[in-house]
Amino acid sequence: MEKLKLAVIGCGFWASYQIAAWIEVGGIEIIALCDNNIENAKKLARKYSVENVFDNAAELFNKVTPDFVDIITNPETHAELVELAASKKINTICQKPMSVDLLSSEALVRTCNEAGIKFYVHENFRWQAPIRKFKEILDTDVIGKVFKSRISFCSAFPVFENQPFLAELDQFIIADVGSHVLDIARYFFGEVSHLLCKTNAINRGIKGEDVANVLMEMKDSAHCFVEMSYASILEKEAFPQTLVLAEGERGSIKLEHDFIIKVTTSEGTKAFEAYPEQYDWVNPDYASIHASMVGINRQFLNGLRDKENVETTGEDNLETLKLVYACYESAEENKIVKL
């Protein structure tokens, strides 16, 4: 099968792992790298033997014609780059969050639809091995209808060391981590009816919120509590794991530390292991996140080849972004927000 030609825009911290995941999947040829810091692009080009290097995306599209582009840049650049790719009729994958607000994100989805291109969002948390396994067990209906759940991403991990730009964001943890864990809530339990969000800022020297707690009522009337924090000094550091508890009419499912899932019913408790795949290129601090890139990239590639429906399309990701900005509205105005 002919390989699809890929161009990557953005060669920062995440790009090296994203490229490694593409190579792990196979079926692609990386024909160009682009970063406004040309030395970043050259460094990755040497590492992965990529011939074409650019510091300007417009020049990239004028010189080469990829089958698709993977945009791995800061959110404030996404709109311009996605629109540029759409103008060239290039299928596009974009890092989350799609853009800096809901209106511009909706505009990007319309632009890509009007251009007739495929537009996917790299929302990879739902592709982590324990999250996929939890969903698989949940779908067996072993615990019956879920009435209450908790999704927790609480840590004291020094995330600002690898990504210092995060400390400069006016909106931090809900836009960054919240887009992930709120997407997990949708993936597990469906859409949201209304929510209430409270935030706080604990770490010194950051502009945005680093703690957020969200209580949601789902459209099927179940309650879901989502908590996220980068200020939590706990007995056992969970990063980068998301911990989950779902309680149903016939039992419960709990995703614990160290990728263990426990299913409890009246018959007792059964434990399952859901370890991420071990790749030699992952950063151990981010193992489950980096490994998840392989699964989502594989689905993206199948989607580009019209072999599989992609879960995290631009349209689907808009529903997650609606939750993100509803959280900010709720926290700012101290009110319950109806979706």
Side-chain angles (χ1 to χ4, degrees):
M1 183 180 296
E2 185 177 355
K3 293 183 177 181
L4 296 187
K5 297 177 181 178
L6 165 64
V8 174
I9 302 177
C11 298
F13 173 74
W14 287 103
S16 181
Y17 302 106
Q18 180 78 336
I19 291 170
W22 280 118
I23 293 171
E24 196 74 46
V25 171
I28 58 97
E29 176 188 359
I30 304 171
I31 64 169
L33 298 177
C34 179
D35 194 283
N36 56 10
N37 182 336
I38 194 69
E39 293 306 316
N40 287 346
K42 287 180 178 178
K43 181 179 179 180
L44 285 188
R46 289 191 294 269
K47 182 176 181 178
Y48 294 109
S49 302
V50 179
E51 180 179 355
N52 299 296
V53 176
F54 302 92
D55 62 2
N56 182 281
E59 182 183 3
L60 181 155
F61 288 123
N62 286 334
K63 296 288 181 64
V64 299
T65 306
D67 294 302
F68 69 109
V69 60
D70 194 351
I71 297 170
I72 316 174
T73 59
N74 293 342
E76 62 269 17
T77 67
H78 290 175
E80 179 182 357
L81 293 171
V82 172
E83 289 169 358
L84 178 61
S87 73
K88 301 293 184 178
K89 307 292 185 184
I90 304 296
N91 295 318
T92 300
I93 299 167
C94 180
Q95 287 295 303
K96 66 85 203 168
M98 195 189 310
S99 190
V100 294
D101 57 50
L102 187 59
L103 287 177
S104 61
S105 298
E106 290 172 337
L108 290 185
V109 172
R110 286 196 302 271
T111 295
C112 292
N113 284 338
E114 291 167 1
I117 66 169
K118 294 177 179 178
F119 182 40
Y120 305 144
V121 177
H122 196 98
E123 178 47 76
N124 62 309
F125 264 44
R126 65 164 68 189
W127 280 92
Q128 293 180 35
I131 300 299
R132 302 304 277 193
K133 183 64 175 180
F134 193 101
K135 173 67 168 171
E136 177 186 318
I137 296 171
L138 189 65
D139 285 349
T140 65
D141 199 38
V142 63
I143 65 169
K145 178 178 169 55
V146 173
F147 62 86
K148 183 162 74 77
S149 61
R150 183 178 73 243
I151 301 175
S152 177
F153 190 97
C154 295
S155 168
F157 184 79
V159 67
F160 306 106
E161 291 182 6
N162 283 330
Q163 302 175 83
F165 76 93
L166 294 175
E168 299 300 318
L169 298 178
D170 292 326
Q171 295 179 331
F172 169 45
I173 202 166
I174 302 174
D176 185 55
V177 171
S179 61
H180 288 312
V181 292
L182 292 168
D183 187 73
I184 289 174
R186 291 184 55 240
Y187 177 57
F188 285 158
F189 309 118
E191 304 302 339
V192 177
S193 173
H194 50 274
L195 62 79
L196 176 68
C197 177
K198 298 291 185 179
T199 63
N200 211 332
I202 304 300
N203 280 293
R204 295 180 179 179
I206 69 170
K207 291 184 177 180
E209 80 290 349
D210 56 3
V211 174
N213 297 296
V214 189
L215 179 60
M216 302 184 292
E217 183 168 321
M218 315 308 284
K219 288 189 175 179
D220 68 354
S221 78
H223 296 162
C224 180
F225 178 62
V226 172
E227 57 180 347
M228 60 199 92
S229 167
Y230 271 122
S232 297
I233 302 172
L234 304 171
E235 179 183 4
K236 187 175 179 69
E237 175 59 66
F239 187 89
Q241 274 199 267
T242 304
L243 307 180
V244 187
L245 172 65
E247 298 181 43
E249 297 168 329
R250 296 193 297 273
S252 63
I253 310 173
K254 188 176 185 181
L255 171 55
E256 300 182 341
H257 292 84
D258 304 319
F259 313 108
I260 302 299
I261 299 175
K262 293 181 179 178
V263 181
T264 300
T265 67
S266 59
E267 297 178 355
T269 299
K270 295 181 179 179
F272 303 85
E273 297 176 346
Y275 299 117
E277 289 287 339
Q278 301 297 308
Y279 301 108
D280 58 10
W281 46 265
V282 305
N283 180 329
D285 286 338
Y286 293 83
S288 60
I289 298 175
H290 288 167
S292 72
M293 294 177 177
V294 177
I296 195 170
N297 284 1
R298 183 176 290 115
Q299 187 174 81
F300 286 155
L301 188 61
N302 287 338
L304 291 167
R305 295 187 185 280
D306 295 320
K307 290 185 174 182
E308 186 175 356
N309 291 326
V310 170
E311 294 176 20
T312 58
T313 60
E315 288 90 346
D316 182 83
N317 192 249
L318 280 178
E319 300 306 313
T320 295
L321 287 181
K322 288 177 184 177
L323 298 184
V324 169
Y325 293 109
C327 285
Y328 281 119
E329 180 185 354
S330 174
E332 183 175 341
E333 301 185 17
N334 192 28
K335 68 177 186 181
I336 295 172
V337 174
K338 183 176 175 61
L339 275 297

